[in-house]
Amino acid sequence: MSITTEVAPTHARAFAEAVAGTGCTHVFGLMGDGNMHLFLALRKEGVEIVEVRHESAAVAMAEGYGWSSGRTGICSVTHGPGLTHVATSLLVASRNRSPLVLIAAETPAGYQGAQTFDQETFVTSCEAVYRRMEPGEHPGEVLAEAIALAESARRPVVLGVAADLLTAPMRASSGVRAERPLRTVDDLAAAQRLQELLASASRPVLIAGKGAFDAAESMRVLADRFGAALATTLPAKGLFDGHELNLGISGGLSHPAAERVLREADLVIAVGASMGRSTTQAGRLFADAHVVKVVDEPGKGEFLLATAAGTMSRLVELSTGTAKEPWFTPVGPSAECWQEDLRDYAPQIAAGTVDPRRAVAQISTEIPDDAIVVISNGHCSGFAAAFTDAPRNGRFFAAQGFGSIGQTLTTAIGVALGAPGRKTVVFEGDAGFMMHAQELDTAARAGVDLTLFILNDEALGTEYQRLREETDDAAAAIVPPPDLAALAEVFGIRSATIAAENGHAAARAALAPGLAVVDVRTSRAVLSRHMRLPGTK
């Protein structure tokens, strides 16, 4: 007679079951000795592991996955240097207020080796939350708590789990799940204050940030009732496209016609927007206006703690009477308004390069209506933000948190995996791309439907333009990359080069299903409009 002893599941297996139970389809990470058993358990549960080439990419991809999927992204790294490598991406996600959970291994009990490190202090310095799992806690409950905290605080949560705990057997779950903390807001009081301000304003503007997507329809109604102008921050680009009173982006990336209207505003109501330097041109754009923000956490200036959708809905209910005529002459679609910049600013373009504004505008006409567009930071972002239309039935994201370059490709891979069945279109600069060029391998292995347009001026664009203005040695910022099309082909990726004005055919071919890279040879003679504004040099 044989006796069979049932082996208790490990903490790694329980974590894997909990991750699968969230509906998360992909976990991003780089395997190390501290998290390798978690990766094995995840594979057994059918969760796809996206193995990156650098840990920083894992966090960026988890952030992008969360943006497009609506789920909280999950990623994992090992202890010590595995965690320190994520610094920039973790701080970017914190500044973007993106909820994600990073499961980071901690060194085993009694470890005295080189990777001994205060992980909690490091994570806190990246403005994220550190939550250490203690022996006796159930992984499912801890993961649920971490996700709830990430979503309520809108911040990354790093879940530290000792490597030896992951392989240890565990006790049964109590089945308890953490409840999300409630925020104290007052939508009615906020709406009443806004009604009071609108009643006395002559030239109101409503600006939507990325926290206002659920309030967009109410804001359109309010614009019609009060004759108010509509505008957005960069992350909310395209939210009001098609509305007669839409001005497009507010701030340094405004087109000239919008800027003239915005400067005349006497009341600015910002919904779900922090109204930072870019949106306000460092305060100069609305110097004579009363600015009030509807936000869910305290900030600078006058702010109303309330939800965007709830406040705007209440304001619609409170606003009765005859609709007012617009206080300004509508400016028309942004694509048409940007023709003024093309007409009035026309530097000489060297042979073998293209005007980045015209190149991006041509590419934009070929982008599918349901695509997701992701743009970078840096000088090239001014062209992509201005001359790319937000897809009518798609999404638009800006990978710009913390003012960092080099985050776009990695974030966009996560975006693509979070939205299967849609084309993801990426605009990145050559310098930023070269920081994570190795992640083309990750993109190829993951099978993403993504087209990357690299605006290649063979330089550190912003620094080149500033040095050109301030010194006689701008050439110090010229750092030519290798042949980018050839580099893409090394990874087995379709590639093309645009070096002449008519790039329609190349863009159309590159936007076919699958992974493709396009080297767009841009002229350094063209300065983005946001850098031509006073005080931006």
Side-chain angles (χ1 to χ4, degrees):
M1 179 178 178
S2 62
I3 299 175
T4 302
T5 302
E6 184 176 346
V7 178
T10 64
H11 285 71
R13 177 179 167 186
F15 261 121
E17 292 173 349
V19 169
T22 69
C24 184
T25 57
H26 297 74
V27 169
F28 306 88
L30 187 58
M31 183 185 289
D33 59 356
N35 65 346
M36 59 187 181
H37 291 286
L38 174 61
F39 277 33
L40 293 179
L42 287 166
R43 285 166 60 90
K44 290 179 181 178
E45 286 298 319
V47 178
E48 186 166 347
I49 305 295
V50 180
E51 280 271 12
V52 300
R53 292 302 184 184
H54 191 281
E55 286 93 345
S56 181
V59 175
M61 290 181 197
E63 181 179 23
Y65 177 89
W67 287 357
S68 61
S69 71
R71 303 184 184 95
T72 297
I74 299 175
C75 49
S76 178
V77 299
T78 192
H79 40 62
L83 180 61
T84 60
H85 280 165
V86 310
T88 296
S89 290
L90 190 61
L91 186 49
V92 165
S94 297
R95 293 288 175 90
N96 284 337
R97 303 187 69 201
S98 295
L100 64 87
V101 173
L102 168 59
I103 302 173
E106 291 184 334
T107 53
Y111 176 84
Q112 298 294 323
Q115 294 187 9
T116 302
F117 175 60
D118 185 349
Q119 298 195 167
E120 182 172 2
T121 297
F122 169 78
V123 167
T124 302
S125 74
C126 293
E127 302 175 9
V129 177
Y130 197 79
R131 199 312 192 172
R132 178 176 289 106
M133 181 175 175
E134 302 294 345
E137 293 187 298
H138 190 283
E141 296 162 11
V142 173
L143 180 65
E145 177 189 328
I147 291 174
L149 177 58
E151 292 179 351
S152 63
R154 295 210 311 233
R155 295 172 68 190
V157 173
V158 178
L159 187 53
V161 186
D164 52 340
L165 183 57
L166 282 171
T167 58
M170 51 165 292
R171 60 181 174 80
S173 168
S174 65
V176 177
R177 291 292 182 264
E179 294 185 3
R180 302 181 186 184
L182 298 176
R183 292 179 179 271
T184 302
V185 296
D186 192 337
D187 294 343
L188 178 58
Q192 291 170 335
R193 170 60 176 158
L194 296 179
Q195 182 187 36
E196 173 188 319
L197 292 172
L198 283 164
S200 59
S202 300
R203 300 179 300 280
V205 174
L206 307 179
I207 297 181
K210 67 179 181 180
F213 278 84
D214 291 343
E217 184 55 40
S218 293
M219 292 180 74
R220 293 186 188 97
V221 171
L222 291 167
D224 290 333
R225 290 188 183 177
F226 289 96
L230 289 168
T232 71
T233 62
L234 175 59
K237 176 182 168 72
L239 192 60
F240 300 126
D241 282 358
H243 193 286
E244 182 186 19
L245 304 182
N246 180 38
L247 298 177
I249 298 173
S250 168
L253 295 169
S254 296
H255 54 70
E259 184 178 329
R260 289 190 288 269
V261 175
L262 292 169
R263 286 192 182 280
E264 296 299 317
D266 64 354
L267 172 65
V268 176
I269 297 175
V271 183
S274 62
M275 297 298 284
R277 291 175 59 85
S278 176
T279 305
T280 65
Q281 293 184 10
R284 295 185 301 274
L285 190 58
F286 303 118
D288 299 323
H290 182 164
V291 179
V292 59
K293 297 177 289 187
V294 179
V295 290
D296 60 2
E297 66 177 19
K300 296 179 180 178
E302 182 178 355
F303 59 87
L304 305 172
L305 286 179
T307 67
T311 301
M312 293 299 101
S313 177
R314 286 298 190 107
L315 186 53
V316 169
E317 295 171 1
L318 294 173
S319 304
T320 58
T322 305
K324 297 181 179 179
E325 290 296 319
W327 60 269
F328 63 99
T329 302
V331 299
S334 292
E336 295 178 9
C337 292
W338 277 109
Q339 294 301 311
E340 179 181 344
D341 188 67
L342 292 172
R343 183 186 68 242
D344 295 346
Y345 175 68
Q348 187 68 35
I349 307 300
T353 65
V354 296
D355 183 328
R357 301 170 300 172
R358 297 184 184 278
V360 171
Q362 289 178 357
I363 293 167
S364 182
T365 64
E366 304 293 339
I367 295 175
D369 284 346
D370 65 347
I372 300 176
V373 174
V374 185
I375 72 167
S376 68
N377 207 353
H379 183 240
C380 67
S381 69
F383 307 122
F387 291 89
T388 304
D389 290 331
R392 186 179 306 119
N393 300 312
R395 295 291 302 275
F396 180 95
F397 297 116
Q400 297 187 345
F402 190 40
S404 175
I405 66 171
Q407 294 293 117
T408 315
L409 172 60
T410 49
T411 304
I413 293 171
V415 167
L417 291 171
R422 290 189 174 192
K423 167 66 73 174
T424 296
V425 181
V426 187
F427 290 92
E428 173 67 291
D430 54 303
F433 165 72
M434 289 302 296
M435 289 181 170
H436 286 294
Q438 76 277 4
E439 300 303 336
L440 283 180
D441 173 61
T442 305
R445 284 185 285 107
V448 295
D449 186 3
L450 181 151
T451 300
L452 170 63
F453 292 96
I454 304 173
L455 304 184
N456 178 14
D457 63 0
E458 298 189 331
L460 299 160
T462 298
E463 290 69 27
Y464 175 87
Q465 298 299 341
R466 288 180 173 170
L467 288 174
R468 187 173 72 163
E469 177 72 18
E470 300 169 9
T471 75
D472 59 0
D473 193 15
I478 298 176
V479 189
D483 185 327
L484 298 179
L487 178 62
E489 291 172 2
V490 170
F491 293 102
I493 299 170
R494 288 184 293 125
S495 66
T497 299
I498 295 177
E501 285 298 332
N502 190 354
H504 286 283
R508 189 178 304 118
L511 288 165
L515 180 59
V517 173
V518 181
D519 179 2
V520 185
R521 304 285 178 84
T522 58
S523 171
R524 290 191 294 271
V526 183
L527 184 61
S528 173
R529 186 173 186 275
H530 78 279
M531 291 191 68
R532 287 180 256 138
L533 298 173
T536 58
K537 295 291 194 300

